[in-house]
């Protein structure tokens, strides 16, 4: 966890939820197969930083792209943007894909 992410502790907003948004978006990028997603797992979160916490009513857009693949392990880079295109958070998630 970065010092930036640590600084938001105690605010009541779980920063891990932002990383989960990137991971869930990665599943959609892979075709959105929920059955396949349930057989896989989140293997890691890296270089994740929080610029600001979203506020109630914020509309967020999550952009993800495949950064690398080794067998059934895939790394995704993601950024969470607010309605004005400003970065809320960014980082990478690594997922181990399940087999159908």
């Amino acid at each position: 966890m970065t010092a930036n992410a640590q600084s938001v502790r105690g605010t009541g907003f779980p920063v891990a939820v932002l990383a989960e948004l990137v991971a869930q978006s990665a599943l959609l990028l892979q075709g959105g197969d929920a059955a396949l997603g349930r057989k896989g797992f989140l293997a890691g979160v890296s270089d994740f930083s929080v610029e600001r916490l979203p506020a109630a009513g914020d509309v967020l857009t999550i952009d993800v792209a495949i950064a690398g693949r080794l067998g059934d392990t895939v790394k995704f880079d993601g950024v969470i943007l607010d309605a004005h295109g400003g970065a809320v958070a960014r980082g990478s998630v690594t997922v181990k894909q399940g087999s159908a």
Side-chain angles (χ1 to χ4, degrees), residues 10-98:
T11 62
F13 189 89
V15 175
V17 170
L18 295 172
E20 180 65 19
L21 288 173
V22 174
Q24 292 292 329
S25 297
L27 174 64
L28 292 174
L29 181 65
Q30 290 294 295
D33 184 347
L36 185 63
R38 282 190 291 275
K39 293 180 182 183
F41 59 90
L42 180 62
V45 177
S46 59
D47 301 323
F48 203 84
S49 64
V50 177
E51 305 298 321
R52 70 170 186 85
L53 291 176
D58 278 356
V59 175
L60 303 176
T61 301
I62 301 98
D63 290 330
V64 294
I66 295 174
R69 179 187 306 267
L70 181 60
D72 56 1
T73 303
V74 184
K75 182 176 181 180
F76 297 90
D77 290 337
V79 61
I80 301 171
L81 304 168
D82 63 21
H84 305 290
V88 172
R90 66 180 73 241
S92 299
V93 297
T94 302
V95 296
K96 168 87 168 65
Q97 295 178 321

